[in-house]
Amino acid sequence: VMQSCCELPAQTSENWQTEKDDLDKFAVHYKTGAKVPAGLVKKMIDASNYNAVYLSSRQLSFGFLDMAWHTQTQPYTGNVIEFERKAMGKTALLPVVDGTAMSTSFSHIFSGGYAAGYYGYKWAEVLDADAFALFKETGIFNKETANSFRRNILEKGNTEEPMSLYVKFRGQEPTIDALLKRNGRNK
């Protein structure tokens, strides 16, 4: 997925924002020099995981809607609201508000550059969590891991098959395990 080629590096870099060792290098009180307390970092992580299941289901629903529209082989002449409720129904957690239509307001799926590829956002989340898991295993500042990420992901972009590049970096295909752990599951 082309989106994963750009989203993977962008999303991976966000992982350091809640690492105490990284924060201690720059996030200090402007007067006292006190570092961010570990308890506050934990609260930041817990807050970022609030509603993780809902947000994941919502993003998946957008992907399902996007693919439903872009797998049509004939011009669609039916009821748009019924179409999207069927497409998004697998992931619906909340009732739909009458008179609303996601398809007419969600520009990503038609003109935002992600047409038939919105699922790339969720896939990039799986990749970035799995990639950062290697940094966690080897040390978040491990030069060998960082150099491998640079050589195999950042420098290559979309010049080779993305999964091949990822495996060169990670040594294996990604699993969802790291994403679940980051989102507060499998502790």
Side-chain angles (χ1 to χ4, degrees):
V1 172
M2 180 60 180
Q3 291 84 342
S4 296
C5 294
C6 64
E7 291 296 334
L8 171 59
Q11 288 182 200
T12 299
S13 66
E14 294 174 12
N15 285 286
W16 277 266
Q17 72 184 354
T18 54
E19 289 295 321
K20 179 83 168 104
D21 290 343
D22 187 47
L23 290 169
D24 285 350
K25 293 182 177 296
F26 70 92
V28 296
H29 190 277
Y30 77 104
K31 286 185 180 176
T32 66
K35 296 177 179 181
V36 177
L40 182 56
V41 174
K42 177 163 182 355
K43 286 180 181 181
M44 290 167 38
I45 294 167
D46 290 346
S48 71
N49 288 335
Y50 180 77
N51 269 341
V53 172
Y54 167 72
L55 294 173
S56 182
S57 295
R58 184 173 183 262
Q59 193 173 39
L60 289 171
S61 74
F62 295 161
F64 284 131
L65 179 61
D66 180 38
M67 291 308 295
W69 281 121
H70 292 286
T71 54
Q72 294 293 304
T73 58
Q74 300 294 320
Y76 187 75
T77 59
N79 182 303
V80 170
I81 292 173
E82 289 174 15
F83 179 88
E84 73 179 32
R85 286 186 183 169
K86 181 178 178 190
M88 298 169 79
K90 310 173 218 197
T91 56
L93 297 175
L94 301 173
V96 177
V97 176
D98 285 337
T100 60
M102 176 58 75
S103 299
T104 59
S105 63
F106 190 42
S107 66
H108 267 56
I109 63 175
F110 293 113
S111 63
Y114 282 78
Y118 188 80
Y119 64 90
Y121 279 120
K122 183 50 79 181
W123 180 234
E125 271 189 77
V126 171
L127 292 172
D128 97 74
D130 190 72
F132 194 68
L134 181 60
F135 281 98
K136 295 280 283 186
E137 290 167 21
T138 62
I140 64 169
F141 301 118
N142 181 284
K143 287 184 181 187
E144 185 178 317
T145 304
N147 284 333
S148 178
F149 189 75
R150 179 182 45 80
R151 276 190 320 275
N152 296 301
I153 305 296
L154 300 177
E155 289 179 0
K156 298 292 184 179
N158 201 27
T159 61
E160 294 178 36
E161 197 277 317
M163 185 56 71
S164 174
L165 292 171
Y166 186 84
V167 171
K168 285 178 185 178
F169 158 66
R170 183 68 165 100
Q172 65 185 41
E173 290 192 4
T175 68
I176 196 169
D177 298 340
L179 179 60
L180 293 173
K181 184 176 181 181
R182 183 175 72 192
N183 287 347
R185 300 277 315 263
N186 298 343
K187 288 185 177 184

